[in-house]
Amino acid sequence: MSKIAWIYPGQGSQAVGMGVDLKETKTATALFEQAEKILGWSVLEKCQGDEEQLSQTLYTQPCLFVIESILTDILVEKGHLPDLVAGHSLGEYSALYAARVFDFETGLKLVKKRAELMDQAAGGKMAAVMKFDREKLESLIINTPDLVIANDNSSEQVVISGTPEAVDTVLPQITAKRVVALKVSGAFHSPLMQDAAEQFQQILDSVSFNDAKVPVLSNVDPTPTTNAQTLKTRLIQQMTGSVRWREIMLQLPNEEITQVIEVGPGKVLTGLVKRTCPDIDLKNVGTLADISQ
C-alpha cells in the first residue's frame, strides 16, 4: 500500500509570482482576505511586487505560510490526504496546519510573530556549505564557541550559524566545494536566538494545539508524533535548535513512505529527497495546475 508524505519548504523557496494563479479559487480568496486582516498588508501584492522586499523575513514567512496553506486546502478539497507531514524550518508551521494542529488564523498569527522576532535579530551570521568534509566540520564546530550546524539539510549540504566572528574563523578552515554566506542578520536556529525564543514561547503558551490528524516529523526531533503538547514543545525548541532535515528524510522509508509531495514554491526539498531516498516517488505542488495533474 502506498503511503504519502506532504513536505513544506521554508524561507529561501519564495519567488515573485508565487500563488498568483490561486486567486481565482474561492478557497484562496477567503484566505487571502483573512490574511490581510491579520497582517495589515496584502500577500498577493507582496508576491507580485519587488523581489528584494519579498525576500525580507518579515514578509517571506507569512507569504509562504499563506500560499502553502491555500495549496493544502485545495488538495484536501480534491480528496487528497497525507499519511505523514513535515516542513523545513518555517515550513513546519504549514505542516502543522496540514495536520490540523491549529487553524489558519492561529498559524498565521504565530508565523507573523515569528517573522517579526527573527527580522529583528541581529549580531549573527549564517553560511551554507556544500560537498564538505563532515568529520572536519563537526570537529571545528565543537572547538569553536557560538557556532552550530543550523540546518543539516543532507549528507552534502549544511548551514552553519553563529556569531560573525565564529563563522569567519571557521569558514577559511572548511574543505568544501562551495560556501555561500546567507543574507540574514541573525544566527537563526542557534542558541543566539534564545531571547527571541523566550518571547515567542510566551505567545505559544497562550495558544491551544490539537492532536495532529496524521503524524508529524519535527525539525528538532524527526520521530513521528501526533501529540499536541509534544508538537508544541518541539516548536518552542525550533527557534534555537537545528533543523534536522537529513534525519527527517532518512525517517521516511522507515515510515513506509512511497511518495513525497512538496507543497509550496520551488523544488528544493524534493531535490534533497531524490538524492537521499532515490526509491521514493516525488511530486511538486506549487500551482493550481500541479494539483490538476
Side-chain angles (χ1 to χ4, degrees):
M1 188 179 77
S2 64
K3 291 182 70 176
I4 299 170
W6 291 359
I7 60 175
Y8 293 85
Q11 199 163 344
S13 291
Q14 71 277 1
V16 172
M18 67 177 185
V20 176
D21 66 313
L22 304 173
K23 64 183 179 181
E24 304 305 325
T25 66
K26 288 182 179 179
T27 298
T29 300
L31 292 190
F32 279 136
E33 288 177 0
Q34 192 176 355
E36 188 163 354
K37 289 176 183 175
I38 294 168
L39 299 169
W41 46 266
S42 166
V43 168
L44 268 178
E45 285 182 11
K46 298 299 179 191
C47 289
Q48 296 176 88
D50 178 64
E51 183 178 359
E52 189 171 335
Q53 187 181 55
L54 180 60
S55 296
Q56 292 176 19
T57 299
L58 196 63
Y59 300 112
T60 308
Q61 295 189 9
C63 285
L64 282 170
F65 177 78
V66 171
I67 300 302
E68 291 171 7
S69 296
I70 291 169
L71 288 167
T72 295
D73 285 357
I74 294 174
L75 279 167
V76 173
E77 286 168 10
K78 292 186 177 291
H80 303 284
L81 290 171
D83 297 290
L84 179 145
V85 294
H88 189 286
S89 191
L90 178 277
E92 186 167 322
Y93 289 78
S94 301
L96 291 171
Y97 173 70
R100 301 316 190 213
V101 172
F102 44 62
D103 61 19
F104 177 76
E105 180 180 357
T106 300
L108 184 54
K109 284 181 176 178
L110 287 175
V111 168
K112 178 177 182 284
K113 185 62 178 178
R114 181 184 192 266
E116 289 169 354
L117 289 168
M118 293 179 75
D119 189 61
Q120 293 162 9
K125 186 171 183 176
M126 300 179 75
V129 183
M130 277 76 82
K131 293 193 175 178
F132 58 98
D133 183 331
R134 182 175 286 266
E135 190 175 332
K136 183 176 181 181
L137 177 61
E138 289 178 348
S139 175
L140 286 167
I141 287 173
I142 289 170
N143 293 296
T144 306
D146 300 321
L147 187 70
V148 297
I149 291 178
N151 298 354
D152 187 0
N153 290 330
S154 73
S155 60
E156 296 186 337
Q157 185 195 98
V158 299
V159 174
I160 60 173
S161 179
T163 62
E165 296 78 16
V167 174
D168 291 341
T169 297
V170 164
L171 285 183
Q173 303 178 64
I174 294 174
T175 304
K177 184 175 182 180
R178 191 169 174 227
V179 176
V180 180
L182 303 186
K183 294 179 181 178
V184 295
S185 60
F188 301 159
H189 297 294
S190 84
L192 295 176
M193 295 296 291
Q194 185 60 40
D195 287 348
E198 288 174 2
Q199 292 180 61
F200 191 59
Q201 182 171 349
Q202 293 176 13
I203 307 297
L204 270 174
D205 285 344
S206 67
V207 174
S208 295
F209 276 30
N210 305 312
D211 286 341
K213 299 290 187 185
V214 295
V216 181
L217 301 179
S218 301
N219 286 190
V220 300
D221 189 341
T223 53
T225 186
T226 58
N227 182 268
Q229 187 54 52
T230 302
L231 291 168
K232 181 185 280 192
T233 300
R234 290 178 177 180
L235 204 58
I236 291 169
Q237 296 168 345
Q238 196 219 62
M239 198 172 276
T240 56
S242 297
V243 175
R244 295 162 61 182
W245 191 255
R246 177 175 61 90
E247 294 171 75
I248 285 175
M249 293 188 294
L250 292 173
Q251 187 66 28
L252 296 174
N254 295 338
E255 300 303 316
E256 301 178 338
I257 295 298
T258 55
Q259 183 183 49
V260 162
I261 300 176
E262 183 172 2
V263 184
K267 298 182 178 181
V268 172
L269 297 185
T270 43
L272 293 171
V273 175
K274 183 178 182 179
R275 290 187 287 276
T276 306
C277 306
D279 294 332
I280 291 179
D281 183 44
L282 304 171
K283 183 177 179 180
N284 291 85
V285 172
T287 66
L288 204 55
D290 292 334
I291 297 175
S292 302
Q293 290 176 0

